[in-house]
Amino acid sequence: PRMPIDHALRAKGLGASEIASVMGLSPWGDAFSVYASKLGLIEKAPATPQQLRGRYFERGIMLWYSDVTGNQTEWFDSSVEHPRREWQRCSPDAWILDVDPALTQAQRIMLRVAGCDAKSVNWRHRDDWGESGTDLVPDYVALQLHWSCSCTTMPYWDCAALLSMDDLRVYRIHYDPDIEAILLEAGEKFWRD
């Protein structure tokens, strides 16, 4: 079900942008910072100029992604939770859509076949990203995309990363049951303990 991004709701589950911190692979936080945030022990810091730029540019990045890839997308930017693991959450920026092949032309409807997140990358971090068309993204981004695949049971997750005003790169992470098992074990242990 679609739920608007709500910070009180986020406190009731572990989101895709938090799993890298829990795993000790985020440059912006660790498991304790996620824990303290969930309990309201620390105040939410005001958005940095870079974070604001990312929020404002995300829709444009997704439109550009659609033009470059030919993929039709549906802007989402809301929270979802796993159907059985209520503590597992993610907030996809957009869904990648495709036609249901089981239907005739007259019955044609679009289905969500994967997800996509948009990133506006600070120029100082551009060397952390590989060539477009690969899966060479920073670890914290890869974990976010794997977590989103797991949470939504999607076969892959794209990342549209704007590395400069004219350098849009597209990356794809495929669902991997071995990586999912590692993330779920760490995520559940964090959430339970």
Side-chain angles (χ1 to χ4, degrees):
R2 183 175 179 182
M3 302 178 276
I5 294 176
D6 176 336
H7 294 291
L9 180 66
R10 288 184 71 151
K12 297 177 183 176
L14 186 58
S17 62
E18 298 165 328
I19 191 62
S21 294
V22 168
M23 300 290 295
L25 293 169
S26 173
W28 295 284
D30 56 17
F32 183 77
S33 66
V34 174
Y35 170 78
S37 173
K38 297 291 179 191
L39 294 180
L41 300 175
I42 54 176
E43 285 188 39
K44 183 169 172 50
T48 66
Q50 293 83 7
Q51 291 168 330
L52 289 173
R53 179 191 68 228
R55 284 189 207 146
Y56 290 125
F57 281 22
E58 283 177 341
R59 284 185 189 238
I61 291 169
M62 288 309 309
L63 290 171
W64 194 354
Y65 163 88
S66 291
D67 286 346
V68 167
T69 64
N71 291 334
Q72 186 171 343
T73 59
E74 170 192 15
W75 181 252
F76 192 72
D77 196 30
S78 296
S79 298
V80 295
E81 69 180 37
H82 189 274
R84 291 180 312 282
R85 296 183 293 270
E86 67 279 350
W87 53 268
Q88 187 183 18
R89 305 232 158 106
C90 70
S91 301
D93 290 335
W95 298 108
I96 300 170
L97 306 175
D98 203 356
V99 177
D100 184 345
L103 300 177
T104 66
Q105 185 72 18
Q107 300 170 316
R108 195 176 169 166
I109 62 168
M110 301 299 281
L111 298 176
R112 294 174 177 168
V113 296
C116 188
D117 281 344
K119 302 288 183 194
S120 177
V121 180
N122 187 296
W123 67 271
R124 290 183 299 240
H125 301 290
R126 69 178 295 126
D127 292 337
D128 299 340
W129 298 74
E131 292 298 314
S132 190
T134 68
D135 63 357
L136 300 176
V137 297
D139 290 341
Y140 65 93
V141 174
L143 294 179
Q144 177 182 359
L145 304 180
H146 280 292
W147 188 261
S148 295
C149 277
S150 172
C151 183
T152 61
T153 65
M154 291 293 175
Y156 66 89
W157 209 271
D158 281 359
C159 178
L162 184 62
L163 276 71
S164 71
M165 293 309 288
D166 58 359
D167 186 8
L168 179 75
R169 299 185 191 177
V170 177
Y171 304 91
R172 179 166 291 173
I173 296 290
H174 290 274
Y175 168 77
D176 184 312
D178 295 329
I179 294 173
E180 179 187 46
I182 293 166
L183 295 180
L184 289 178
E185 180 181 359
E188 185 171 22
K189 182 176 182 348
F190 170 84
W191 194 253
R192 186 186 62 235
D193 298 341

